[in-house]
Amino acid sequence: MLRRTSRNSLAGLLLAALLAVVGVACSGSDKSASPQGRPASSHCPDDALTCPASGSSPSPSAGASTAVGEATAKPSTSPSATGRATLSASASGASDKPAAKAACASPRACGFPDADTTGPRIPLTHHKTGYKAIRTNGMVIRGWDLAGSLDIYANNVTVIDSKITSDSWWGVNLRPGYSGLRVLHSTITAVPGKGPDNGGVDYAVSNMATSSVEVGWCDVSVFGDALAMGQGNLHDNYVHDLAPFINRGGEWQHTNAVISSGGNTGRLIIRHNTLLNPTSLKEGASGSIGLFADTGVVRNVTVDHNWIAGGAYALYGGDTGATGIKVTDNVFSTQYHRNSGGYGVVAHWNEGGAGNVWSNNRMSDGRPVTPEPSS
């Protein structure tokens, strides 16, 4: 026999359930101790998306060290200069067709990274200055507030929940012959006018090796070429406020939020980032994503689900010969220019290249984007 529940009894049950849910949500939302609005903890797992609010967490992997090897002086020369593709004003890259998707007002409104979802999740307790050469395999650098730079001569180094304010050519640099570098949940910036390149700074994270570098959940600003590598996994980062400067050669340094100069042997993945290049055309703007064939053919690059804005062109697509370039589900923002970049959305796209895919990309105002082929 079915039992009938009165309307008042049912309402009471629903109210009790709702209050229980609210109580659980409120009990875990203490953000008062973290400078980034996240639960503060001194025990974050190396690859954790969030820090546990209480209790202990696994220690770093076996063999990880907390010792730091330091060089006696800064490197005397800069890394080799990265060439830039010449600008072409022929390809606007933006279509005037009716909007295929709803418009989106900001990165946050579309669920892309910003200052609240990137950077350190814990208080910075280790204050250090100067150039640091890391020579210990498996080292974990956590909670550092470094006024200087990191030069990595070791394998499987992790930089996490730290802040680097560079005074060198880079913030973090992986040297040739080494692998396994991860830079996670960190802020990498510099003081404009205080860098070694006539006051400028060149690379936030530089990969001189032939192995992949992971950069995730980082807040990156100021550098001319922020994330510079041919192979890597760049995800969930917020790159913004690139600072233009006149380099030692007396020219405006070209700026890119992400740059690859081609000739890569591995895969470059650029996924779910906010990539902003506000530099004006008169002050060296290049791209928000610059895939340039300066040192060899560009191949095997995935550009997926990013918020992209600014540059001369928002995206340089690899040029003639580029293969395996997949550009999918990206939002090209109009916050600096109507067509995302000053001259347009995309240039040097090799439409006929093997494995090249352009799919489901749109402007932030809803217009679909169709690239013109490389000329």
Side-chain angles (χ1 to χ4, degrees):
M1 181 176 178
L2 294 175
R3 294 184 60 187
R4 250 176 119 176
T5 304
S6 70
R7 181 176 299 178
N8 288 340
S9 298
L10 181 59
L13 291 172
L14 291 174
L15 179 59
L18 178 60
L19 290 173
V21 170
V22 171
V24 170
C26 291
S27 67
S29 61
D30 180 13
K31 298 181 180 180
S32 61
S34 170
Q36 294 292 332
R38 303 175 182 82
S41 171
S42 60
H43 301 286
C44 285
D46 296 340
D47 55 356
L49 302 184
T50 59
C51 291
S54 63
S56 61
S57 63
S59 60
S61 58
S65 170
T66 56
V68 181
E70 300 185 6
T72 56
K74 292 183 182 180
S76 58
T77 59
S78 69
S80 58
T82 303
R84 305 296 190 274
T86 56
L87 303 181
S88 169
S90 62
S92 68
S95 170
D96 292 325
K97 295 179 181 178
K101 288 192 174 184
C104 199
S106 68
R108 175 174 293 187
C110 269
F112 289 99
D114 61 12
D116 289 334
T117 61
T118 56
R121 304 162 296 175
I122 63 175
L124 304 177
T125 56
H126 304 289
H127 300 281
K128 300 178 181 293
T129 59
Y131 168 83
K132 310 293 182 185
I134 307 304
R135 304 182 186 275
T136 304
N137 289 338
M139 182 173 174
V140 177
I141 295 170
R142 185 196 305 281
W144 281 27
D145 185 359
L146 172 64
S149 63
L150 294 173
D151 209 356
I152 311 300
Y153 293 85
N155 298 317
N156 303 319
V157 172
T158 298
V159 180
I160 188 167
D161 290 314
S162 295
K163 180 180 180 180
I164 297 169
T165 305
S166 177
D167 60 355
S168 185
W169 296 95
W170 53 73
V172 183
N173 179 51
L174 180 64
R175 288 287 179 169
Y178 299 95
S179 64
L181 174 64
R182 297 190 302 166
V183 184
L184 308 174
H185 298 289
S186 294
T187 294
I188 308 171
T189 188
V191 179
K194 299 296 185 180
D197 193 358
N198 197 33
V201 285
D202 290 84
Y203 311 112
V205 180
S206 170
N207 183 4
M208 292 182 172
T210 56
S211 64
S212 180
V213 168
E214 181 183 3
V215 184
W217 307 284
C218 287
D219 184 324
V220 180
S221 60
V222 180
F223 296 86
D225 286 328
L227 303 178
M229 61 193 68
Q231 41 273 317
N233 182 8
L234 312 177
H235 62 88
D236 301 286
N237 300 293
Y238 175 45
V239 182
H240 60 102
D241 293 310
L242 305 184
F245 63 93
I246 296 175
N247 60 28
R248 286 182 171 182
E251 300 176 342
W252 284 104
Q253 179 76 10
H254 286 195
T255 58
N256 298 271
V258 175
I259 185 171
S260 173
S261 59
N264 55 303
T265 57
R267 173 168 291 280
L268 177 61
I269 299 171
I270 307 167
R271 177 170 285 131
H272 197 242
N273 303 279
T274 298
L275 304 173
L276 309 179
N277 186 352
T279 309
S280 74
L281 297 175
K282 294 180 180 180
E283 294 178 317
S286 188
S288 285
I289 299 177
L291 306 179
F292 300 125
D294 295 328
T295 60
V297 173
V298 179
R299 57 174 71 88
N300 299 329
V301 180
T302 296
V303 180
D304 177 62
H305 194 50
N306 300 279
W307 177 280
I308 305 169
Y313 287 93
L315 170 66
Y316 285 81
D319 215 335
T320 303
T323 60
I325 315 299
K326 296 177 173 60
V327 183
T328 56
D329 296 300
N330 297 284
V331 178
F332 290 90
S333 171
T334 61
Q335 67 190 90
Y336 303 125
H337 309 283
R338 181 180 182 274
N339 289 325
S340 196
Y343 296 135
V345 175
V346 57
H348 305 300
W349 172 252
N350 184 20
E351 184 177 12
N356 290 352
V357 175
W358 183 281
S359 174
N360 207 30
N361 301 293
R362 73 183 195 277
M363 303 293 294
S364 58
D365 60 13
R367 288 173 290 153
V369 177
T370 302
E372 294 185 13
S374 176
S375 56

